[in-house]
Amino acid sequence: MAVTKISRSTQAKQSVLALIEEANIALSHADIEEQLNVKCNRVTIYRILDRLVEDDKIHKLVDMDGVSKYMACVACNDDHHHHHHLHFSCKQCEQVSCLHHIIPSFQLPKGYSMHELNFTVRGICVDCESTSP
Amino acid sequence: MAVTKISRSTQAKQSVLALIEEANIALSHADIEEQLNVKCNRVTIYRILDRLVEDDKIHKLVDMDGVSKYMACVACNDDHHHHHHLHFSCKQCEQVSCLHHIIPSFQLPKGYSMHELNFTVRGICVDCESTSP
DNA sequence: ATGCTTAATTCAATTGAGTTGCAAATATCC
DNA sequence: GGATATTTGCAACTCAATTGAATTAAGCAT
């Protein structure tokens, strides 16, 4: 069993979490490094992100181009921490957003068990669709 | 519009394609480099993989840990080249396989359009489930 | 409030996947 | 066989992410 370390509340951690919670799109490490308004080392941001995922404060997802992005937990509570809805990755604006209400329906074959789900659609989002003819 | 180059049949390309077609799991660049029995440069393998994807011979998918993997086209023909079924990524054996017959059902909101889909479930596969109590 | 323990932070160095530019090799068409 | 465009190999490079070790600081107990 893994030893569960106590999580400390530091300014850097609070700021990173606030940034992710205020964003309505998924942020990459680079996005966070760029937008963070407190002095914080690159490596520290990586470790904070890992810690927040471990503490079930945020979700990590891998975009279709292989880039890791992070989103706040929205509908998660103590009982369930999952991210089973659809993620939309726009080819034009390059933004990844959650479509919380869209949950795919499917059935795993007998013998398989699910722990995580990555369900990402790549295409053109509604904002880009409406701004370009 | 992109200029479509003529694709040549070389030994390296044939061997890479054969390897992917014979495998029933998704192979990464590293897997291919390791298993390939013909002399072939690392960079060449990257370029062959890109070329095979471009030629609709194989599909590229990004695993939940961000690693690119490649699978042969199975049910694809001239009319449709897509990979809309479920991919299963086993936490134990670390293998990614296609569950061709499982296609998720969902509906995108009005205004969104889909070009690609990444639908990967991570968990324990049937083989690992049966071999460990 | 002071000290102790341990988590968090920083820095430098490193890893690993993937890319680029260019020269040499070679598949394909004539 | 020769022309031409695609492939290949090599070296160097980029970028994301990790590691180890030393320093700083949060939070608990006294």
Side-chain angles (χ1 to χ4, degrees):
Chain A
M1 201 62 185
V3 180
T4 45
K5 294 180 174 187
I6 289 163
S7 191
R8 289 181 186 170
S9 168
T10 66
Q11 206 198 345
K13 200 187 283 179
Q14 286 168 24
S15 302
V16 170
L17 182 55
L19 199 61
I20 295 171
E21 282 178 341
E22 283 158 22
N24 53 359
I25 60 169
L27 300 180
S28 67
H29 173 273
D31 295 333
I32 292 165
E33 190 178 7
E34 195 180 299
Q35 293 171 34
L36 203 63
N37 49 8
V38 299
K39 168 180 124 47
C40 186
N41 191 273
R42 236 184 69 255
V43 177
T44 304
I45 297 177
Y46 279 116
R47 297 208 244 237
I48 286 176
L49 290 170
D50 286 347
R51 195 59 160 102
L52 290 172
V53 169
E54 202 178 303
D55 291 346
D56 291 325
K57 293 285 184 7
I58 61 174
H59 290 288
K60 176 177 181 169
L61 62 99
V62 179
D63 197 3
M64 290 181 78
D65 52 9
V67 180
S68 292
K69 301 206 169 183
Y70 300 87
M71 303 220 61
C73 290
V74 173
C76 296
N77 55 42
D78 287 345
D79 291 334
H80 71 163
H81 285 275
H82 57 63
H83 218 193
H84 290 179
H85 54 266
L86 187 148
H87 297 137
F88 196 89
S89 169
C90 181
K91 289 170 93 159
Q92 194 167 318
C93 64
E94 288 297 336
Q95 293 191 342
V96 176
S97 51
C98 283
L99 299 181
H100 294 284
H101 48 292
I102 302 186
I103 294 174
S105 134
F106 65 96
Q107 179 140 29
L108 280 179
K110 207 165 151 61
Y112 287 82
S113 59
M114 172 166 84
H115 296 164
E116 286 177 86
L117 171 62
N118 181 3
F119 178 48
T120 306
V121 171
R122 192 158 171 80
I124 303 294
C125 73
V126 66
D127 293 340
C128 290
E129 188 64 34
S130 58
T131 51
S132 69
Chain B
M1 204 59 190
V3 181
T4 45
K5 296 180 173 186
I6 288 163
S7 191
R8 288 185 185 167
S9 167
T10 65
Q11 206 198 346
K13 199 186 284 180
Q14 286 168 22
S15 301
V16 170
L17 182 56
L19 199 60
I20 294 171
E21 282 177 342
E22 283 158 21
N24 53 358
I25 59 169
L27 299 180
S28 66
H29 173 274
D31 294 334
I32 291 165
E33 190 178 6
E34 192 182 301
Q35 293 171 36
L36 203 63
N37 49 8
V38 300
K39 167 180 125 47
C40 186
N41 190 272
R42 214 170 53 79
V43 177
T44 304
I45 297 177
Y46 279 116
R47 295 204 252 236
I48 287 175
L49 290 170
D50 287 346
R51 195 62 159 100
L52 290 173
V53 169
E54 203 179 304
D55 292 346
D56 292 325
K57 293 287 186 1
I58 61 175
H59 290 288
K60 176 178 181 168
L61 63 99
V62 179
D63 197 2
M64 289 182 79
D65 52 7
V67 180
S68 292
K69 301 206 168 183
Y70 300 87
M71 303 219 61
C73 291
V74 172
C76 297
N77 55 42
D78 288 344
D79 292 333
H80 73 155
H81 284 277
H82 57 64
H83 219 193
H84 290 179
H85 54 265
L86 187 148
H87 297 138
F88 196 89
S89 170
C90 182
K91 290 171 93 160
Q92 194 167 316
C93 63
E94 288 297 336
Q95 293 190 342
V96 177
S97 51
C98 284
L99 300 182
H100 295 284
H101 48 293
I102 302 186
I103 295 173
S105 132
F106 65 96
Q107 181 140 29
L108 279 180
K110 208 166 151 62
Y112 287 81
S113 59
M114 171 166 87
H115 295 165
E116 285 178 86
L117 171 62
N118 182 2
F119 178 48
T120 306
V121 171
R122 193 159 169 82
I124 303 294
C125 74
V126 66
D127 292 340
C128 290
E129 188 63 36
S130 57
T131 50
S132 67

